[in-house]
Amino acid sequence: MFVYGHMNGWGWALMSLGWLVLLVLVVLAVTVLLRHAPDGGAGRAADRDHPGARALLAERYARGEIDDEEYRRRLAVLEDATAHRQGSR
């Protein structure tokens, strides 16, 4: 690899390959950490595109599609489900 104090072609190739492998490992590590982040990381992008269940329920109530009793019953179910999910974390 070293000839008279200078690196030959194989030395440069192996050094470049080593840096490339290190770069790929760092990118993979960051990707894995972001995907398994407690807040959801990149997996939460789909949730931002769709309105929440409570917003849809409120819209249906505002349009008169459901009455007071059904609105309160469904809202209670949503709150129970949210509390259950947060309690399991």
Side-chain angles (χ1 to χ4, degrees), residues 2-72:
F2 286 99
V3 179
Y4 304 110
H6 299 286
M7 200 179 315
N8 65 11
W10 285 107
W12 285 105
L14 290 175
M15 184 178 68
S16 299
L17 182 63
W19 279 109
L20 184 64
V21 168
L22 181 66
L23 179 65
V24 167
L25 288 176
V26 168
V27 168
L28 285 174
V30 168
T31 302
V32 167
L33 289 174
L34 287 177
R35 287 188 183 211
H36 295 299
D39 64 346
R44 297 285 182 175
D47 293 341
R48 289 190 300 265
D49 295 339
H50 302 292
R54 290 181 190 200
L56 290 175
L57 186 61
E59 285 179 23
R60 290 188 64 199
Y61 179 66
R63 286 193 299 251
E65 295 177 10
I66 57 176
D67 60 0
D68 291 340
E69 181 183 335
E70 186 172 356
Y71 174 76
R72 288 189 183 101

